[in-house]
Amino acid sequence: MYSRPGMSYTSGFFILMGLMGVGLIFSVAIAAGLWMVMTGTGFGSMQQEMNNPANVQVLRLLQLVSTFFMFFLPAYFTSLILSKRPLQLMGFHNRFTWRELALAIVIMLTSLPLVGALSQLTQMIPLPASLEQTFSNWEKAYEDQVKVLSRIDSFGDYLLSLIIMALAPAIFEETFFRGGMQNLLEKGTGKGWLAIGITAVLFSAIHFSFYGFIARVALGVVLGLIFHYSQSLWLSIACHFFNNALV
């Protein structure tokens, strides 16, 4: 399956992480250019204007572009380095039945009370006042941005919100974390639970949310198990989309 002699899945994991760093740099540069072109203001004003409803279309485009460059492209190029059939390596070729989809969605639904409980428990963890204020500010900034991105004035806005906030993150994040990271770790180490656990932790950490950290780890484990047992990236994408759309 390898396209280059001596290349291993373990080395592919480190290539993936390196390419994600490159993708982050590209996403920031492209976001800065798009912001200046579409708003006519400098990049320095972006932080202050991100919660302005007038910029919702720009923010939606930036969200789409940044996740594409940070998650999808690094996973694709890493798989292309490792295999002559990158999409197959990531699990895109494995389809699923309606019965498997229904079962996976039931699993997601039954896990939501646990995820919610873990989120509540995290908020009960005693913290120094300074840290508590910092984490609360992070949560508020995230919630404010979500409210702007989720602004719905018409049925068209509703569909666009589903695409930007639910479908695109499901495709790009699952491609990176399950089709890329978990897949490579499991193939490289031969330890499924280790791969699922590491990926779930990093999946949660990338969201930069303390109060949602443990809950997202649990969600990552559920998505990881679905991918592990089905070997279909489409199925984990569908479940991720279902969760995002429901929220």
Side-chain angles (χ1 to χ4, degrees):
M1 181 176 288
Y2 301 137
S3 58
R4 296 190 181 185
M7 188 67 68
S8 69
Y9 291 118
T10 303
S11 62
F13 169 78
F14 293 104
I15 292 173
L16 176 66
M17 300 304 291
L19 288 179
M20 185 189 72
V22 174
L24 174 60
I25 295 172
F26 270 97
S27 67
V28 171
I30 293 172
L34 288 174
W35 177 265
M36 290 186 288
V37 169
M38 297 182 70
T39 65
T41 61
F43 185 65
S45 68
M46 183 175 174
Q47 186 65 34
Q48 291 75 27
E49 294 295 322
M50 283 186 69
N51 295 331
N52 186 346
N55 296 321
V56 61
Q57 301 301 344
V58 181
L59 294 175
R60 284 171 175 169
L61 179 60
L62 297 186
Q63 170 86 2
L64 189 66
V65 169
S66 62
T67 52
F68 177 74
F69 276 88
M70 274 188 64
F71 297 135
F72 184 84
L73 285 184
Y76 176 78
F77 282 121
T78 299
S79 298
L80 188 62
I81 292 171
L82 293 174
S83 173
K84 297 178 180 178
R85 298 180 178 180
L87 296 179
Q88 286 85 340
L89 175 61
M90 290 187 289
F92 276 108
H93 70 298
N94 291 330
R95 300 180 180 179
F96 56 86
T97 65
W98 288 108
R99 182 177 179 180
E100 290 171 333
L101 176 60
L103 177 60
I105 289 178
V106 168
I107 292 173
M108 288 293 297
L109 281 173
T110 55
S111 69
L112 291 182
L114 172 62
V115 171
L118 290 173
S119 180
Q120 293 296 320
L121 286 173
T122 306
Q123 295 182 35
M124 297 169 63
I125 297 175
L127 296 170
S130 58
L131 273 180
E132 184 176 355
Q133 185 61 49
T134 298
F135 292 148
S136 296
N137 290 339
W138 288 359
E139 294 298 322
K140 186 179 185 304
Y142 175 76
E143 290 173 1
D144 290 343
Q145 186 177 0
V146 169
K147 288 178 182 178
V148 173
L149 290 170
S150 304
R151 180 180 175 182
I152 299 174
D153 296 324
S154 65
F155 183 70
D157 275 343
Y158 171 69
L159 292 178
L160 190 59
S161 294
L162 279 180
I163 293 172
I164 300 298
M165 301 295 293
L167 181 60
I171 295 174
F172 299 154
E173 290 181 14
E174 288 306 301
T175 298
F176 181 86
F177 288 102
R178 253 58 67 176
M181 185 181 294
Q182 178 181 320
N183 195 17
L184 295 176
L185 280 173
E186 184 170 351
K187 284 180 168 59
T189 64
K191 298 178 180 179
W193 274 103
L194 178 65
I196 292 171
I198 292 175
T199 302
V201 170
L202 295 177
F203 167 73
S204 183
I206 203 71
H207 289 85
F208 295 100
S209 170
F210 173 78
Y211 293 113
F213 179 78
I214 299 177
R216 283 195 178 91
V217 170
L219 180 62
V221 169
V222 173
L223 290 169
L225 287 171
I226 289 172
F227 177 72
H228 172 76
Y229 285 108
S230 70
Q231 289 300 299
S232 172
L233 191 60
W234 288 117
L235 189 57
S236 61
I237 287 173
C239 291
H240 195 149
F241 168 75
F242 175 80
N243 177 77
N244 289 353
L246 185 63
V247 172

